[in-house]
Amino acid sequence: MSDERHVLVLPDRDAAEEAAEEIAERFGVTDESQLVRDALAGEDDAEDAQWLVVVEDPDHRLDPAALDAFAAEYEGWLEAP
């Protein structure tokens, strides 16, 4: 069984940092989530970048619907696999 990862797409760095901290508490994620800046195509202004929170889920414990609802609290969404 391969490792699973979930990618939350968030509107800015502050939201991504807050979500990364909260996800550990709320979902019991033990591995630190990875933050990735995702510049929109053709945009080089940092203000136009989305931020991704990559959550490793090797045991397939996390519910995608719950993660999507969680991301929505930060005006984001769960990227479809």
Side-chain angles (χ1 to χ4, degrees):
M1 188 176 267
S2 64
D3 286 355
E4 175 149 343
R5 68 176 39 145
H6 303 280
V7 179
L8 306 180
V9 182
L10 298 163
D12 57 48
R13 183 179 188 136
D14 289 343
E17 288 176 345
E18 286 180 36
E21 289 178 18
E22 177 69 19
I23 204 164
E25 294 176 22
R26 191 177 304 185
F27 294 96
V29 174
T30 55
D31 293 336
E32 187 170 328
S33 299
Q34 179 182 2
L35 297 181
V36 180
R37 181 178 175 270
D38 184 33
L40 300 176
E43 299 291 339
D44 58 348
D45 183 355
E47 297 303 312
D48 291 329
Q50 294 174 322
W51 283 79
L52 309 178
V53 178
V54 180
V55 182
E56 299 295 334
D57 184 20
D59 300 324
H60 302 271
R61 296 185 309 108
L62 302 175
D63 175 18
L67 288 173
D68 190 47
F70 172 78
E73 294 175 25
Y74 293 91
E75 298 179 14
W77 64 89
L78 176 66
E79 188 70 19

